[in-house]
C-alpha cells in the first residue's frame, strides 16, 4: 500500500515536472518573440522612428526588449528549478511569475485609463504629429546634411505605399519644391514604379494617392502591431496563471529539503 502511494506520488511529480518544463519552454519562446519584435522595431523601423519628434515609439521598443529579456531569464530559472527539483528556486520562479503578471495587469489598466483621459485631446495630439511630420518631410528632404531624413522618407513612402505627410499636395510646399524638385511634383519614391524623375507626373496611375497620407498609414501600421503585442501579452498572462499553478503543485509534491 505504501509502495503504491509512493509510486503514485512519483508519477504525479514526474507529470508536474513535464508540464512545468513545457510551460517554461513556451514562456522562453514567447519572451524571445517579444524581444525579436522590439529589436525588429529598432533595426528595421528605425527610419520611421527618426521622422517623429516624440521618443515614445523608440522607448516602447526598448521596453519590449527589456520585458522579453526578463521573461526569457525567468523561463531559464524555471527550467533549472524543475530539473533540480529545488524548492528555493521554485519559490523564486513563482515570485518572478507573479511580479511579471502583476506588471502586465497594471500596464494594461494604466494604458486603458490613459486612453480614456487622453481621448478628448488625442485629435489635437494627432494634428501636432501630422504638422511635425509634414515639416520634417518638406523642409529637410534631400537637404545637404539630412541624408538620413531623405532615406527615411523614401523608405516610408515606398514601404507604406503613400505620398506626403497628409497628402501628395504637401510636396508643393516648403523648400523641396523650390530648391530640389527639378520640375518634379513629388519625390520619385512616391511612384508606384520608382524611376529617375518619375515624380514629374502626380496622376494616381503613377503615384500613391492615399487619403490621410503617410501619417495615416503610419498610425495604421503602429495600431496593427499594438494589437499583435496585446494578443501576445494576453497569451503570456494566461500561460503565467497555469505556470504558477504548476509551480505550486510541484512545490507541494517535493519533499522538504534545505534551500
Amino acid at each position: 500500500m505504501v509502495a503504491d502511494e509512493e509510486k503514485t506520488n512519483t508519477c504525479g511529480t514526474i507529470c508536474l515536472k513535464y508540464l512545468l518544463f513545457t510551460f517554461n519552454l513556451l514562456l522562453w519562446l514567447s519572451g524571445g518573440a517579444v524581444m525579436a519584435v522590439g529589436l525588429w522595431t529598432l533595426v528595421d523601423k528605425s527610419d520611421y522612428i527618426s521622422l517623429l519628434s516624440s521618443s515614445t515609439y523608440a522607448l516602447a521598443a526598448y521596453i519590449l526588449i527589456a520585458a522579453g529579456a526578463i521573461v526569457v531569464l525567468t523561463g531559464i530559472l524555471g527550467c533549472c528549478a524543475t530539473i533540480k527539483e529545488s524548492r528555493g528556486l521554485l519559490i523564486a520562479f513563482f515570485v518572478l511569475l507573479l511580479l511579471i503578471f502583476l506588471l502586465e495587469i497594471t500596464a494594461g489598466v494604466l494604458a486603458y485609463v490613459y486612453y480614456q483621459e487622453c481621448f478628448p485631446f488625442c485629435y489635437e495630439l494627432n494634428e501636432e504629429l501630422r504638422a511635425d511630420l509634414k515639416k520634417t518631410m518638406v523642409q529637410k528632404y534631400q537637404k545637404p546634411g539630412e541624408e538620413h531624413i531623405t532615406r527615411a522618407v523614401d523608405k516610408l513612402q515606398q514601404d507604406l505605399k503613400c505620398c506626403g505627410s497628409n497628402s501628395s499636395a504637401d510636396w508643393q510646399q516648403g523648400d523641396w519644391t523650390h530648391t530640389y524638385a527639378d520640375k518634379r511634383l513629388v519625390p520619385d519614391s512616391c511612384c508606384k514604379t520608382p524611376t529617375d524623375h518619375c515624380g514629374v507626373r502626380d496622376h494616381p496611375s503613377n503615384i500613391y494617392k492615399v487619403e490621410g497620407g503617410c501619417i495615416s498609414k503610419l498610425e495604421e501600421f503602429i495600431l496593427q502591431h499594438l494589437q499583435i503585442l496585446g494578443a501576445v501579452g494576453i497569451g503570456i498572462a494566461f500561460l503565467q496563471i497555469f505556470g504558477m499553478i504548476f509551480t505550486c503543485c510541484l512545490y507541494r509534491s517535493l519533499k522538504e529539503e534545505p534551500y
Side-chain angles (χ1 to χ4, degrees), residues 199-210:
V200 296
R201 185 167 161 267
D202 64 350
H203 191 270
S205 63
N206 184 50
I207 70 167
Y208 294 113
K209 291 265 189 180
V210 179

Side-chain angles (χ1 to χ4, degrees), residues 129-155:
L129 285 174
R130 285 177 180 271
D132 183 69
L133 181 59
K134 178 180 176 181
K135 181 180 178 182
T136 299
M137 291 175 75
V138 301
Q139 299 293 345
K140 296 183 178 181
Y141 184 76
Q142 288 192 331
K143 209 170 189 177
E146 300 290 353
E147 287 79 10
H148 67 291
I149 295 293
T150 302
R151 286 194 303 271
V153 171
D154 287 339
K155 182 175 175 61

Side-chain angles (χ1 to χ4, degrees), residues 144-202:
E146 300 290 353
E147 287 79 10
H148 67 291
I149 295 293
T150 302
R151 286 194 303 271
V153 171
D154 287 339
K155 182 175 175 61
L156 178 71
Q157 293 189 143
Q158 276 295 296
D159 287 357
L160 300 186
K161 295 179 170 47
C162 57
C163 184
S165 174
N166 301 298
S167 70
S168 58
D170 291 344
W171 290 108
Q172 299 305 307
Q173 307 167 31
D175 293 344
W176 180 81
T177 190
H178 300 111
T179 310
Y180 308 106
D182 193 18
K183 298 181 181 180
R184 289 173 296 178
L185 300 176
V186 295
D188 295 338
S189 58
C190 283
C191 299
K192 295 179 179 178
T193 306
T195 55
D196 188 35
H197 272 68
C198 63
V200 296
R201 185 167 161 267
D202 64 350

